[in-house]
Amino acid sequence: MNSLTYVNLDQIPNQELISLLNSQRVRRHLVSHDLFDETSISAWVADKCREDSKAKCIVRAIKVDHEFAGWCAIQPLGDQYEIALVLGEHYWGVGITVFKDMVAWGIELGHETLIFNLMSSRPKYKFLNEIATSVSECEIMNHAFTQYEIELRNIKI
């Protein structure tokens, strides 16, 4: 990896977003949803752009070496905020770097705590267990997740 950059989600062509979000390898780790098409992806991007405009939120596309790699967000989750991170399978190795960048954004946005939910299909991560204030199992939209609560002041970036 030579360069990691973040751009507004609406700068990514719809077809690239569709390809990522409809990938069977990626979908295995996401809440079930219908396959995206041009209409539904446009609505999804518009929704994410609205979230990006909210206080304490950020939504970005991730580029690695100028290629679209995925998307990330700090977004509302009930009365809390969560980290969302979706990467194409060829870019799974950059997740920790993106996560650290998102922690820095969270601090800049004034968050004290962020939630990171990983579907139970994902392995347990020693790194997350070490930095989390609490780790618990939860259900979101009929799917089992491991929920990591992270106090940002305790993280050394």
Side-chain angles (χ1 to χ4, degrees):
M1 176 181 80
N2 294 326
S3 70
L4 177 67
T5 55
Y6 302 96
V7 300
N8 289 335
L9 198 59
D10 60 3
Q11 293 181 9
I12 303 301
N14 283 352
Q15 201 52 50
E16 290 184 39
L17 289 163
I18 290 170
S19 180
L20 171 73
L21 295 173
N22 287 351
S23 161
Q24 288 303 322
R25 295 279 315 266
V26 171
R27 286 172 60 89
R28 190 172 70 181
H29 304 295
L30 300 176
V31 171
S32 299
H33 60 80
D34 292 335
L35 292 174
F36 283 97
D37 59 23
E38 283 291 331
T39 301
S40 60
I41 201 70
S42 293
W44 182 82
V45 169
D47 182 55
K48 290 299 175 190
C49 288
R50 278 189 296 277
E51 283 193 354
D52 184 51
S53 69
K54 294 178 183 176
K56 299 188 108 177
C57 295
I58 187 169
V59 178
R60 292 292 180 266
I62 304 162
K63 288 190 164 192
V64 175
D65 296 332
H66 309 288
E67 298 291 326
F68 174 60
W71 72 277
C72 61
I74 296 175
Q75 58 190 13
L77 176 68
D79 60 350
Q80 298 176 304
Y81 290 86
E82 74 168 340
I83 291 173
L85 175 55
V86 177
L87 291 166
E89 66 181 289
H90 299 297
Y91 301 101
W92 286 348
V94 302
I96 190 71
T97 302
V98 175
F99 179 85
K100 288 178 179 180
D101 289 343
M102 294 179 73
V103 166
W105 297 344
I107 292 168
E108 289 172 18
L109 291 168
H111 292 285
E112 293 181 17
T113 302
L114 291 173
I115 302 298
F116 192 33
N117 291 309
L118 290 179
M119 190 171 268
S120 61
S121 61
R122 303 287 303 271
K124 304 288 190 257
Y125 291 95
K126 182 179 177 185
F127 165 76
L128 290 173
N129 281 319
E130 290 173 355
I131 65 168
T133 306
S134 69
V135 179
S136 59
E137 302 302 316
C138 68
E139 187 175 297
I140 302 171
M141 298 177 69
N142 298 318
H143 292 83
F145 282 82
T146 302
Q147 184 172 81
Y148 300 88
E149 183 175 339
I150 301 162
E151 286 187 28
L152 302 185
R153 70 174 184 261
N154 293 336
I155 297 178
K156 305 292 184 252
I157 300 174

